[in-house]
Amino acid sequence: MLVLGFDMTILNVALPTMAGDLGATTGQQQWMADAYVVVFAALMLPAGLLGDRFGRRAMLITGLGVFLAGSVVGALAGGVPAVVAARCVMGVGGALVMPLALAVLPSLFGEPKDRIKAIGIVSAASALGMPLGPILGGWLLDHFWWGSIFLVNVPMVGIGIAACVFLLPETRDPAAPEVDVISTALAATGLGALIYAIIEAPGRGWGDPLVLAVLAGGAALIAALVVRDRRAARPMLDMGLLRRRPFLLSALAATLVMFVMAGLMFILPGYLQAVLGHDAFGTGLRMLPMMGGLIIAARAGGPVTARFGARATMSAGLVVLAFAALLGSRTTVDSGYGFTALWLSIAGIGFGFAVVPAMDAALAALPADRAGSGSGLLMTVRQTGSALGIALLGSLLAGAYTNRLDTAGLPAAAADTAGDSVVAAHAVAARLGAQRLADSADAAYVHGMSLVLLVIGATALVSALLVGAFLTTEPKRPEAAADVAPAPVDA
């Protein structure tokens, strides 16, 4: 779980370096980040069912092995397609590991208090990995090549496999439903098509026939998934739960938080490295204020929710997040890091106070006999939110950057390269001695980041109004804590 926490964030700090070494455009950087999350989200539910039917230990070891193979391929990759392929393989492994790492705990700890403590330790490991990811990635990039951010997984996954082989008993649920291959294929291809269209749209144009066709195809596939699961006796995705208002609004709020966090983690490294000029390790350290605020607020979220209620706490957290985003949208090229640290800290506090009560309210709204399918649906839509955050917010940034960049007087080839990313623009400026281009690239990137933050702020405000006006929480079931493991990344 610590490794999964790393890989949620460790790649982001490496993207500017990889963009320079591999010549990756902003769209290709989005794919390197998003490939893992898209596959992760699409396969998490069938992965859990595979463990139930064929043995949780066996499938957990398989997942760790797949993740290990993907990490090795990523470390040895020589181009963008190989990195994207490696991230897809890692997503398959991560989808197996995440639900099964929690599912094996009841067989190890029979006493409820021991089980809850174990879940807390596992969740803390994943939560610790998120802020450590950028720091570890930055240190590795300052001392080794970018492939080392993948290779660091190898010894830890090896220890995990050995521990599973020698320490875990095998458990399974023969009564678990069969994996619905068609629903799995519809989810993966539909989500992948939507993400592809969103990422390609800034370069091709939203009116491009290919973009429109892929968007329509993705929407049709997702619609087919919904129709199929509505007719199934035991659906893989229990869409009927979305008719429960407390679950729907709480899941929406939790998904928004992942949407925003993934988008911010994608755009921040480019600003900190290319615009402010920090090295990779310094960039990782400078992303800590957001993680620090999130962890502090997440720990305080339980007591605050107990006193004021989930609706008030979620609404307040979303308002704080909106304020931080609107404050961050005032960033200029000359703002410096102090201003960035301020609004990042506030954003982290907003994240924490929004997501903890959102997850708690969503799980409390589930009926006892649908706790498993409901928690699976919740984790799936949250991971989908992460993928869409990178795709939508990254595409907004890419489009704004390209439109604002001044490439007048440059050769056509140099102008095209500079438009790929702010890192590429700085490389072209250094080669040609064109400081004006570097200054224009910095201003264009900050402009795009400000637009992204404005969108985040407006979305958070609308969500706060929806939650405050329509959310009605249900009494929490005593058995919920034992039935449903909390989502690890929110610990």
Side-chain angles (χ1 to χ4, degrees):
M1 295 301 285
L2 184 65
V3 171
L4 292 185
F6 285 157
D7 281 273
M8 290 287 183
T9 57
I10 196 171
L11 181 74
N12 298 83
V13 76
L15 285 175
T17 301
M18 296 170 73
D21 291 350
L22 301 177
T25 66
T26 300
Q28 290 173 326
Q29 293 176 59
Q30 287 171 272
W31 270 118
M32 288 190 287
D34 240 349
Y36 175 78
V37 186
V38 169
V39 175
F40 196 116
L43 298 183
M44 192 183 304
L45 279 179
L49 293 177
L50 284 172
D52 290 343
R53 289 185 63 83
F54 300 109
R56 298 183 180 101
R57 185 184 73 161
M59 296 311 299
L60 184 55
I61 293 172
T62 301
L64 287 167
V66 172
F67 194 89
L68 178 65
S71 299
V72 173
V73 172
L76 301 177
V80 172
V83 174
V84 172
R87 293 282 286 174
C88 288
V89 174
M90 292 170 67
V92 175
L96 283 167
V97 171
M98 175 71 84
L100 296 179
L102 293 168
V104 298
L105 295 181
S107 64
L108 297 175
F109 303 97
E111 292 294 327
K113 64 176 183 179
D114 293 335
R115 185 164 61 249
I116 292 172
K117 183 179 179 180
I119 290 172
I121 293 172
V122 171
S123 299
S126 180
L128 183 64
M130 292 186 68
L132 287 180
I135 297 174
L136 177 62
W139 185 86
L140 289 170
L141 287 167
D142 282 353
H143 293 83
F144 307 100
W145 89 114
W146 58 260
S148 60
I149 66 167
F150 295 99
L151 209 57
V152 72
N153 296 332
V154 173
M156 300 187 69
V157 173
I159 293 171
I161 292 174
C164 290
V165 170
F166 293 108
L167 300 177
L168 274 186
E170 183 62 281
T171 59
R172 56 173 54 88
D173 178 11
E178 294 184 2
V179 175
D180 188 337
V181 177
I182 296 178
S183 291
T184 302
L186 289 173
T189 55
L191 181 59
L194 291 177
I195 298 299
Y196 175 85
I198 293 169
I199 289 177
E200 292 296 318
R204 295 176 175 270
W206 284 97
D208 181 79
L210 176 62
V211 171
L212 293 176
V214 175
L215 271 177
L221 290 169
I222 296 297
L225 170 66
V226 173
V227 171
R228 179 178 177 81
D229 277 8
R230 283 174 62 89
R231 295 176 177 175
R234 300 185 69 179
M236 189 177 71
L237 283 176
D238 196 348
M239 299 293 183
L241 290 170
L242 297 180
R243 291 195 293 268
R244 304 174 70 91
R245 182 188 295 177
F247 180 82
L248 173 61
L249 290 176
S250 301
L252 178 64
T255 301
L256 169 73
V257 171
M258 296 304 294
F259 173 90
V260 170
M261 183 183 294
L264 275 181
M265 295 293 285
F266 180 80
I267 67 173
L268 277 173
Y271 170 70
L272 293 172
Q273 288 190 44
V275 179
L276 295 188
H278 299 295
D279 62 14
F281 181 63
T283 294
L285 289 176
R286 285 167 176 81
M287 294 172 72
L288 279 181
M290 181 174 71
M291 290 301 181
L294 190 154
I295 292 172
I296 292 171
R299 289 188 175 277
V304 171
T305 302
R307 179 167 183 176
F308 297 103
R311 179 169 63 178
T313 308
M314 288 166 60
S315 298
L318 289 166
V319 169
V320 170
L321 176 57
F323 171 74
L326 295 175
L327 184 64
S329 71
R330 308 299 299 171
T331 301
T332 67
V333 175
D334 301 319
S335 292
Y337 175 69
F339 181 69
T340 303
L342 172 64
W343 66 262
L344 279 181
S345 301
I346 299 172
I349 292 171
F351 283 140
F353 279 119
V355 76
V356 171
M359 293 297 298
D360 186 64
L363 295 176
L366 296 173
D369 61 342
R370 297 161 79 182
S373 61
S375 59
L377 175 61
L378 180 61
M379 293 177 73
T380 298
V381 297
R382 285 174 56 249
Q383 293 300 326
T384 302
S386 296
L388 290 175
I390 295 171
L392 285 170
L393 298 180
S395 293
L396 175 61
L397 172 68
Y401 167 79
T402 303
N403 292 335
R404 182 61 67 96
L405 182 66
D406 182 8
T407 57
L410 291 178
D416 289 341
T417 302
D420 288 341
S421 69
V422 64
V423 175
H426 275 269
V428 171
R431 187 172 69 250
L432 300 180
Q435 183 60 40
R436 183 179 63 84
L437 174 62
D439 293 340
S440 175
D442 290 347
Y445 194 90
V446 172
H447 168 70
M449 188 176 76
S450 297
L451 284 180
V452 167
L453 289 168
L454 283 173
V455 170
I456 289 172
T459 306
L461 275 180
V462 171
S463 299
L465 291 173
L466 289 174
V467 168
F470 300 111
L471 178 64
T472 55
T473 57
E474 299 181 4
K476 189 173 181 178
R477 295 182 290 109
E479 67 271 23
D483 289 345
V484 184
V489 296
D490 298 321

